[in-house]
Amino acid sequence: MVFGQVVVGPPGSGKTTYCNGMSQFLSLIGRKVAVINLDPANDSLPYECAVNIEDLVKLSDVMVEHSLGPNGGLVYCMDYLEKNIDWLQAKLEPLLKDHYLLFDFPGQVELFFLHSNAKNVILKLIKKLNLRLTAMHLIDAHLCSDPGKYISALLLSLSTMLHLELPHINVLSKIDLIESYGRLAFNLDFYTDVQDLKYLQYHLDQDPRSAKYRKLTKELCEVIENFSLVSFTTLDIQVESTVAAVQEKYMKDDENIDDNE
């Protein structure tokens, strides 16, 4: 059985930087790592790519040939990858003996809670290659500084968890920069534990735009709390201890799955 991570999250959340940092960390502790770039819009890679989707399909070519914008082009590329899953399987097979896999996915959030192509790619790989994959969902920590944006991030995290149906870890990335966006309304634990969201209501009411949707916000917070699935671990990719903590959480979650099985 081969282990790995599916790295997802909105644009700018630090997915590629995470893959680069995590691959370096795992190499330092003696693991062989292969990073697989499945983002056809990512043309500036800081890591050495074991497999690159651009060898199969290029976003720029798709946009020109089919008169699509970036979002439509990414959906097309994922659909094309799903239809050519044998290409990806053949590229991965030589790595399965002794490599840990990191899949760097596009940041278009619709791919992970509206469209099924990316999910189908993941599920086919799991079935064909007997992979054990965990989703690492990155959220930029600066969203905690705005109650409305934080609730949106919670909804996105929950939707992605329910759609992908994988073991799942939510990560607040760039935690080292969080103070540069201003003082948080609550301690950091409030944002990582995701409990008692009703306390956000006062701060939302201070903004006339948010106050207008008070009832809707209240209902959305109740949905998040009723599912009781979302929590976060924090990450500064430049600090080894936080990278190790994320990997340790991954290992614990995987052990829990084995116990349940």
Side-chain angles (χ1 to χ4, degrees):
M1 183 172 289
V2 183
F3 296 86
Q5 300 176 21
V6 173
V7 183
V8 299
S13 58
K15 296 180 298 299
T16 296
T17 302
Y18 172 86
C19 288
N20 186 40
M22 182 57 76
S23 65
Q24 292 178 20
F25 171 79
L26 292 171
S27 296
L28 285 173
I29 63 173
R31 296 291 297 270
K32 285 188 176 181
V33 186
V35 186
I36 297 94
N37 176 46
L38 296 183
D39 182 0
N42 193 351
D43 55 5
S44 180
L45 298 173
Y47 51 74
E48 183 178 347
C49 224
V51 182
N52 194 340
I53 192 176
E54 285 207 334
D55 295 335
L56 174 69
V57 60
K58 292 186 177 181
L59 178 62
S60 56
D61 293 344
V62 168
M63 291 170 62
V64 170
E65 184 176 345
H66 299 282
S67 300
L68 295 171
N71 288 346
L74 281 170
V75 173
Y76 180 95
C77 288
M78 281 296 108
D79 182 60
Y80 190 81
L81 178 61
E82 182 188 356
K83 291 176 179 176
N84 291 273
I85 195 69
D86 291 342
W87 173 86
L88 182 56
Q89 181 180 349
K91 292 284 187 180
L92 291 175
E93 282 175 346
L95 306 171
L96 299 182
K97 183 178 179 181
D98 55 1
H99 282 75
Y100 185 93
L101 306 179
L102 294 173
F103 293 88
D104 189 0
F105 271 86
Q108 187 185 10
V109 296
E110 298 95 317
L111 294 173
F112 301 100
F113 71 91
L114 287 179
H115 299 285
S116 61
N117 304 112
K119 177 183 178 180
N120 291 342
V121 167
I122 295 167
L123 294 181
K124 286 179 180 179
L125 291 177
I126 290 173
K127 184 176 181 180
K128 287 174 176 284
L129 301 177
N130 194 27
L131 304 183
R132 175 69 64 84
L133 300 177
T134 293
M136 291 288 181
H137 187 240
L138 272 61
I139 293 289
D140 195 323
H142 93 269
L143 297 178
C144 296
S145 63
D146 183 311
K149 291 179 180 178
Y150 174 66
I151 291 173
S152 296
L154 293 178
L155 287 170
L156 175 60
S157 300
L158 178 60
S159 299
T160 304
M161 293 177 80
L162 296 176
H163 182 72
L164 288 182
E165 298 181 299
L166 289 175
H168 199 104
I169 297 174
N170 293 301
V171 179
L172 286 178
S173 62
K174 307 180 186 178
I175 200 67
D176 54 311
L177 302 177
I178 194 168
E179 292 183 357
S180 65
Y181 296 98
R183 186 175 179 181
L184 296 178
F186 305 96
N187 292 333
L188 185 59
D189 288 350
F190 175 86
Y191 300 95
T192 57
D193 294 345
V194 191
Q195 295 179 355
D196 298 321
L197 295 178
K198 62 180 180 291
Y199 290 115
L200 285 173
Q201 195 65 59
Y202 169 79
H203 297 277
L204 287 163
D205 289 346
Q206 305 310 302
D207 184 344
R209 295 170 300 177
S210 300
K212 182 176 170 184
Y213 303 104
R214 192 176 197 281
K215 185 176 180 181
L216 174 62
T217 302
K218 180 176 179 293
E219 296 293 335
L220 291 175
C221 287
E222 288 181 0
V223 169
I224 294 165
E225 290 187 322
N226 287 341
F227 271 98
S228 192
L229 290 175
V230 183
S231 63
F232 293 95
T233 188
T234 57
L235 173 69
D236 176 357
I237 198 64
Q238 297 178 345
V239 177
E240 184 177 324
S241 60
T242 68
V243 180
V246 170
Q247 184 64 10
E248 183 180 356
K249 186 171 178 60
Y250 162 83
M251 296 300 294
K252 285 182 178 178
D253 280 12
D254 196 67
E255 288 173 2
N256 290 336
I257 294 166
D258 285 336
D259 291 342
N260 291 333
E261 289 179 350

